[in-house]
Amino acid sequence: METHFSKEDEIYMKRAIELAKKGLGWVNPNPLVGAVIVKDGRIIGEGWHRKYGELHAERDALLRCGESTEGATIYVTLEPCCHYGKQPPCTQAIVEAGIKRVVIGSMDPNPLVSGKGVKFLEEHGIRVCGCLCNQECMEMNYVFFHYINKKEPYVVMKYAQTLDGKIATYKGLSKWITGSEARENVHKDRYRYAGIMVGVGTVISDDPMLDCRSEAIANPHNPVRIICDSRLRTPADSRIVKSAGQIPVIIATCITDKERICQYENAGCDVITTSPCEGHVNLTELMSKLGERGIDSIILEGGGTLNWAALKAGIVNRVQIYIAPKIFGGESSKTAVEGQGVESPADAYVLKNKCVKCIGDDIFIEGEM
């Protein structure tokens, strides 16, 4: 595989990255992929993976070409697939289209591809160059790379707090800690990830919908709503249960009583039973079962109890914190992470690759575990 690129190559790959991001919220558990076809210094076709089950980026771009692709170059953010899945292999389409050069942004870690796509193309006389804009292409698909390797969802723990670390007043009131700009950003992330998970306490106290209501996104995609409910206390008349026919709901529990489970299943909910872990849902086991259902990512919007359980179970991959310039005070006011906590400062959970920025009047901190 060649590794030499021109400035023009980088321009076209950045355009492919831009196109790939149009698939956010629609392609899970597939990766975000964009493609640009260039001939005689002109873009003659563009495409991206638009929705799970639909054409891959390469075939989408080829379909939209207005002229012959014989001798053209295709820029694609991820190594072209070479196996049959929901769609036929893209490598075959590239060969049949007469493409003579393929520029790749990142390799595909999927064992079904993983270098086999490059090998197939080169065996058919096509020049393959990679990996251009590799860091950007990798960062764009951090969810996919995690899921394809672990077969479990990528978990983002998100919470909003005051300067003194409170997520509610001493009376339990939390609307609203942050401003409208921060709340809009939260809804954009709900659109991006496949699922949103809370504890049953949040459902009982707030009766949330947990849907995506972004004004910036037309026809937003709603995540699967997941409730950790060890003892099946989710109210049957809650908004989540009543809307299960429109937006999918998964209830995770330790209860095995079929009659109680049927009440929720009859309302349209999917009930997952795990073995108990200290009397609660086994989060490690739950992640495995959610991965089997094709849920590649979760934004965790639980309270302090669930947040601590998730950290303790080692399922958290990323943390997002919104800090409002306010002070609530209150010895009994809830904090974002409760439970026993760590014994020593040396045992603290530490973030790496941190990002800090202002969103409206609030401070946003994001980092990987």
Side-chain angles (χ1 to χ4, degrees):
M1 184 165 61
E2 299 179 21
T3 57
H4 301 291
F5 309 102
S6 67
K7 291 183 178 180
E8 288 74 19
D9 286 333
E10 186 173 346
I11 291 171
Y12 294 132
M13 183 59 75
K14 287 186 178 295
R15 174 56 181 165
I17 293 171
E18 184 181 337
L19 292 168
K21 292 178 180 179
K22 291 177 179 286
L24 274 172
W26 293 105
V27 303
N28 311 64
N30 282 352
L32 298 166
V33 186
V36 173
I37 301 174
V38 176
K39 186 176 181 179
D40 299 329
R42 298 176 296 108
I43 294 177
I44 62 171
E46 294 184 332
W48 66 93
H49 186 27
R50 296 166 187 263
K51 191 175 183 180
Y52 178 72
E54 295 186 359
L55 290 176
H56 288 181
E58 299 93 323
R59 288 182 176 271
D60 187 56
L62 288 168
L63 183 67
R64 296 170 192 281
C65 281
E67 59 186 89
S68 170
T69 55
E70 191 72 33
T73 295
I74 186 169
Y75 297 82
V76 59
T77 56
L78 187 69
E79 178 185 9
C81 65
C82 54
H83 65 285
Y84 282 87
K86 290 283 184 180
Q87 296 291 332
C90 292
T91 50
Q92 188 63 47
I94 290 171
V95 171
E96 293 173 354
I99 300 288
K100 292 302 179 186
R101 181 172 178 250
V102 177
V103 181
I104 296 171
S106 59
M107 300 298 288
D108 191 337
N110 186 340
L112 295 173
V113 186
S114 193
K116 299 182 183 72
V118 170
K119 183 179 179 182
F120 181 92
L121 294 171
E122 290 180 333
E123 286 176 346
H124 286 77
I126 296 175
R127 289 175 58 203
V128 182
C129 303
C131 294
L132 179 59
C133 301
N134 183 246
Q135 184 174 349
E136 292 175 71
C137 291
M138 294 282 287
E139 289 176 352
M140 178 173 63
N141 276 316
Y142 62 87
V143 165
F144 170 72
F145 292 136
H146 172 88
Y147 179 71
I148 204 68
N149 285 313
K150 302 288 187 180
K151 307 301 182 192
E152 295 177 353
Y154 186 95
V155 178
V156 179
M157 186 173 78
K158 187 279 298 181
Y159 56 86
Q161 66 175 37
T162 59
L163 284 174
D164 55 336
K166 306 300 183 181
I167 62 172
T169 67
Y170 74 92
K171 284 193 171 184
L173 303 177
S174 60
K175 293 183 180 179
W176 295 104
I177 291 176
T178 55
S180 57
E181 293 95 334
R183 297 198 299 275
E184 171 66 19
N185 202 61
V186 168
H187 281 283
K188 288 180 180 178
D189 275 339
R190 287 184 180 181
Y191 169 79
R192 172 177 191 147
Y193 298 112
I196 178 171
M197 188 164 78
V198 299
V200 66
T202 298
V203 177
I204 292 173
S205 62
D206 296 344
D207 193 22
M209 271 294 285
L210 301 179
D211 57 352
C212 179
R213 301 184 298 277
S214 173
E215 296 179 1
I217 303 170
N219 188 29
H221 162 77
N222 284 306
V224 176
R225 299 168 298 176
I226 305 160
I227 307 170
C228 288
D229 183 1
S230 304
R231 302 193 302 275
L232 275 186
R233 296 185 296 132
T234 300
D237 62 350
S238 63
R239 294 202 295 164
I240 286 181
V241 173
K242 288 165 66 175
S243 61
Q246 290 76 49
I247 306 173
V249 176
I250 294 175
I251 300 178
T253 186
C254 301
I255 297 296
T256 58
D257 186 323
K258 292 184 178 179
E259 186 174 339
R260 291 179 63 187
I261 290 173
C262 277
Q263 295 177 1
Y264 294 100
E265 291 178 335
N266 290 339
C269 300
D270 180 11
V271 179
I272 295 177
T273 302
T274 77
S275 59
C277 178
E278 299 180 359
H280 299 286
V281 169
N282 186 319
L283 293 177
T284 303
E285 188 179 327
L286 176 60
M287 291 304 108
S288 179
K289 292 187 175 185
L290 292 174
E292 291 172 359
R293 284 166 164 77
I295 296 175
D296 67 353
S297 52
I298 292 171
I299 184 164
L300 178 62
E301 294 192 14
T305 301
L306 183 57
N307 285 346
W308 170 248
L311 285 170
K312 191 176 178 182
I315 68 168
V316 179
N317 303 107
R318 182 177 295 243
V319 178
Q320 294 179 338
I321 309 167
Y322 295 85
I323 303 175
K326 303 173 182 178
I327 296 174
F328 281 177
E331 183 179 5
S332 62
S333 301
K334 289 186 175 295
T335 59
V337 182
E338 297 180 350
Q340 183 180 14
V342 300
E343 181 178 346
S344 162
D347 300 327
Y349 295 90
V350 180
L351 299 185
K352 63 179 182 178
N353 300 329
K354 296 173 290 294
C355 165
V356 181
K357 63 182 178 181
C358 288
I359 300 179
D361 292 329
D362 305 306
I363 300 167
F364 177 72
I365 301 175
E366 181 177 35
E368 298 171 355
M369 290 299 297

